[in-house]
Amino acid sequence: MQLLTPFFVMMRARQLGRQFRDIERSIRALPKRNRTRLGTLTLREIGQASRSDFPHLYGTPPEARYQPWGQGTEAGYERACSTNPEVALRGIALWLAVAYHETKNSPHASLQPQHRQLMQLLRELKEVHSSGDAAESWMRNSAVA
């Protein structure tokens, strides 16, 4: 099994990389308002996943818990490809949360570039989210005055 593990990890890294490019393209195509919402949804999904026993298996049915990687990224990716905007947003948030936890403390060097790319994208979403909060509080303060 030790001979096959690097091969499986390399294939998983390629799969996550391909899905990441599609997810990133979808996020960049979103209007700013939806990106702000996506930031909130993603933060919520990451929090919910971190409270589970195995965060990298978040979104995986209980009977499939003994696989090396869960099915959360697959479910999120399928939803992200939906034509329904709400389903797509929730799918992107799920994919980002599961991929974050899956690559976060991975001992495999081939998954670390995916984690860095993911962190960069999450930072961009956080910046959009925080700038949206600043604009919203500014609007509330100017309405009061």
Side-chain angles (χ1 to χ4, degrees), residues 15-71:
Q15 180 183 29
L16 286 176
R18 189 181 69 250
Q19 289 178 350
F20 177 80
R21 284 189 296 277
D22 293 342
I23 294 285
E24 184 180 30
R25 195 175 310 118
S26 297
I27 291 172
R28 303 241 185 263
L30 290 173
K32 186 176 180 182
R33 186 173 132 235
N34 284 353
R35 271 189 259 156
T36 303
R37 250 188 99 228
L38 177 62
T40 303
L41 288 171
T42 302
L43 182 62
R44 186 178 306 141
E45 289 287 344
I46 289 172
Q48 288 176 349
S50 66
R51 285 189 288 280
S52 69
D53 292 336
F54 303 102
H56 66 286
L57 297 177
Y58 181 70
T60 302
E63 62 273 5
R65 295 275 174 163
Y66 298 103
Q67 298 175 350
W69 291 284
Q71 298 172 354

Side-chain angles (χ1 to χ4, degrees), residues 26 75-92:
S26 297
Y77 184 73
E78 287 177 17
R79 292 177 193 165
C81 295
S82 173
T83 56
N84 183 328
E86 183 64 30
V87 172
L89 271 182
R90 292 184 179 276
I92 292 170

Side-chain angles (χ1 to χ4, degrees), residues 9 69 100-112 115:
V9 170
W69 291 284
Y100 168 77
H101 284 293
E102 187 176 315
T103 60
K104 181 179 174 184
N105 293 322
S106 177
H108 307 290
S110 59
L111 289 175
Q112 292 172 357
H115 185 68

